[in-house]
């Protein structure tokens, strides 16, 4: 432990923790600047040993135990995410015209934290909306800065580094509570909910929730929190159809009772939202186009398709088919045919007759293909069948059954969020439950519900491995392959050819299986699915 001048500190005194020894790494692969910053020579110690700066502030107790105090570097924890501010800065610095960037963290209260970005740029300055959109492509919505300030120069220390302490001493307008007196009470409520969920300030009633960075989980949060405050069920489709606070408030005014709890009172769990999100049929968007039925992956929930709904646009109708086990519980025994009957009933509930459009990711692709063949056998037309990195069941029988950590990872992916760490860091159900709770879904997601989801995931994995040989689908197939991180090169789209009478149009995506519905891959799926 060393002080700011690089000298050892006394027992009980705070200092930065350094790691050194013969097993010390050579540096960060492909990141020379970060290597230079983190791996240093300790000039104050004999022999000038090479060491790694952890950025952790600690103190040594008399009994020899280290006590963690906090972080000294640019990392900041917000909404359950540990953010490397330098990474945010690099994303912003890549924008043409931006000369210099500094992102700092503000702790407004013990529970409320905000990020702020200060930029030195050449005029004309980019719009705040464009900055948020640029960040939304690379980072979670929760870590997009609450505000942006253009400055002539960044304050510097005597050593030439950005003086973050000086920036934190500032109090820009976007950091303070917004004045919502000029908007209606319902608009003010919506804006406050958005600001809490997105971690941003200074939003207006004309800002688009999705352009601000709202994604699948944030959409669930908005519907859950609004359902609670307004004491009625707010469908997810409503948020997609009316993405600004002005539009949403106008749409809700005639249907809700304006006797909601004042801000800061009441809970954020919603029986209304929880019932909808775990229902076998999940309406996501309702437009003029024929419905697209998206079948859940192994975890049984279809939340992961919300991003696709946004990319396709509000003119499309998108329904998530979710596991019937979410409501009825996992039965002791149920055949593949019995399960298909339940999915068929859900499809016909929305659309009694064809032509039908079906899409499925992973396990959902197996179900989608089976539903399509069953519909054709019953005399209906299937216009489009789209499979996302999904393969026939007999191809899975030769693979090892997923272990507990892989099952947990499948559940996290199905919620529409990326993992906060590698599979090796998933230390059991409590850790996963904590991660899901950190994003504050505003729904009842307790240990019994998590156990139920895990049981459904395992049952569906077993069903996939025991599935019968697929029937032949009469038509063409659109297929998307997750080309990154593949360990089984024999598992390809060609595995479906014996079960498809037409051609298979395959698109390779630069993504792993679990990220196929995110980023650029999601855009490709929306563009190439031939749904317009």
């Amino acid at each position: 432990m060393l002080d700011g001048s690089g000298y050892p500190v006394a027992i009980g005194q705070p200092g930065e923790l350094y790691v050194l020894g013969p097993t010390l790494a050579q540096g960060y692969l492909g990141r020379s600047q970060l290597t230079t910053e983190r791996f240093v020579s300790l000039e104050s110690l004999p022999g000038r040993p090479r060491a790694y700066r952890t950025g952790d502030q600690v103190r040594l107790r008399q009994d020899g135990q280290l006590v963690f105090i906090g972080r000294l570097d640019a990392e900041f924890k917000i909404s359950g995410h540990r953010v490397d501010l330098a990474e945010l800065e690099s994303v912003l610095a890549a924008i043409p015209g931006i000369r210099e960037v500094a992102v700092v963290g503000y702790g407004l209260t013990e529970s409320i934290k905000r990020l702020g970005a200060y930029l030195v740029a050449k005029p004309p300055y980019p719009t705040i909306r464009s900055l948020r959109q640029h960040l939304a492509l690379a980072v979670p919505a929760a870590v997009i800065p609450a505000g942006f300030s253009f400055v002539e120069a960044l304050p510097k220390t005597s050593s030439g580094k950005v003086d973050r302490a000086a920036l934190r001493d500032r109090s820009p307008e976007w950091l303070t509570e917004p004045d919502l007196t000029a908007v209606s009470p319902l608009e003010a409520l919506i804006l406050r909910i958005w600001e809490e969920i997105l971690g941003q300030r200074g939003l207006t009633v004309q800002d688009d929730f999705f352009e601000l960075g709202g994604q699948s989980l944030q959409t669930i949060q908005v519907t859950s929190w609004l359902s609670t405050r307004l004491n009625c069920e707010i469908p997810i489709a409503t948020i997609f159809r009316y993405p600004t606070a002005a539009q949403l408030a106008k749409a809700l005014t005639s249907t809700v009772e304006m006797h909601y709890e004042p801000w800061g009172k009441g809970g954020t769990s919603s029986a209304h939202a929880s019932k909808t999100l775990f229902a076998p049929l999940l309406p996501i968007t309702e437009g003029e186009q024929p419905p697209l039925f998206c079948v859940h992956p192994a975890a049984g929930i279809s939340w992961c398709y919300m991003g696709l709904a946004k990319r396709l646009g509000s003119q499309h109708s998108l329904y998530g088919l979710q596991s019937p086990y979410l409501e009825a519980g996992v039965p002791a025994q149920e055949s593949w045919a019995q399960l298909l009957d339940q999915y068929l009933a859900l499809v016909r509930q929305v659309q009694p007759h064809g032509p039908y459009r079906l899409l499925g990711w992973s396990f959902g692709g197996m179900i989608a293909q089976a539903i399509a063949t069953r519909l054709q056998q019953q005399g209906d037309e299937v216009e489009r069948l789209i499979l996302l990195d999904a393969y026939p069941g007999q191809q899975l029988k030769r693979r090892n059954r997923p272990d507990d950590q892989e099952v947990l990872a499948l559940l996290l992916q199905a919620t529409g969020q990326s993992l906060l760490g590698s599979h090796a860091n998933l230390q059991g159900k409590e850790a996963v439950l904590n991660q899901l709770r950190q994003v504050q879904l505003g729904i009842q997601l307790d240990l019994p519900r998590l156990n139920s989801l895990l049981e459904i995931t395992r049952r569906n994995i077993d069903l996939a491995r025991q599935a019968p040989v697929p029937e032949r689908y009469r038509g063409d197939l659109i297929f998307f392959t997750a080309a990154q991180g593949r360990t089984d090169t024999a598992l390809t789209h060609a595995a479906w050819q014996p079960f498809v009478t037409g051609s298979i149009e395959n698109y390779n995506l630069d993504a792993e299986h679990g990220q196929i519905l995110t980023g650029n891959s999601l855009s490709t799926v929306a563009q190439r699915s031939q749904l317009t």
Side-chain angles (χ1 to χ4, degrees), residues 360-383:
W361 169 41
S362 194
F363 173 75
M366 296 176 60
I367 298 291
Q369 194 272 350
I371 292 174
T373 59
R374 182 75 72 86
L375 287 168
Q376 289 179 334
Q377 291 168 2
Q378 294 176 358
D380 282 295
E381 178 187 353
V382 178
E383 175 189 350

Side-chain angles (χ1 to χ4, degrees), residues 380-399:
D380 282 295
E381 178 187 353
V382 178
E383 175 189 350
R384 190 82 68 241
L385 177 60
I386 305 162
L387 304 187
L388 310 182
D389 212 39
Y391 303 93
Q394 64 268 28
Q395 297 289 324
L396 305 177
K397 293 177 182 178
R398 56 189 174 84
R399 309 179 75 188

Side-chain angles (χ1 to χ4, degrees), residues 479-491:
F479 196 91
F480 294 90
T481 299
Q484 296 299 316
R486 300 186 68 81
T487 57
D488 189 345
T489 56
L491 206 61

Side-chain angles (χ1 to χ4, degrees), residues 1 11-13 58-68:
M1 296 179 300
I11 293 177
Q13 296 300 309
V58 298
R59 62 180 177 83
L60 185 65
R61 297 192 321 204
Q62 292 289 342
D63 61 1
Q65 295 294 313
L66 284 175
V67 178
F68 176 76

Side-chain angles (χ1 to χ4, degrees), residues 5 25 42 83 101 143 146 164 216 233 291 306 330 341 368 376 378:
S5 301
L42 302 182
V83 187
V101 182
V143 303
R164 297 180 184 276
S216 300
E233 181 179 353
M306 291 186 192
V330 178
D341 286 340
Q376 289 179 334
Q378 294 176 358

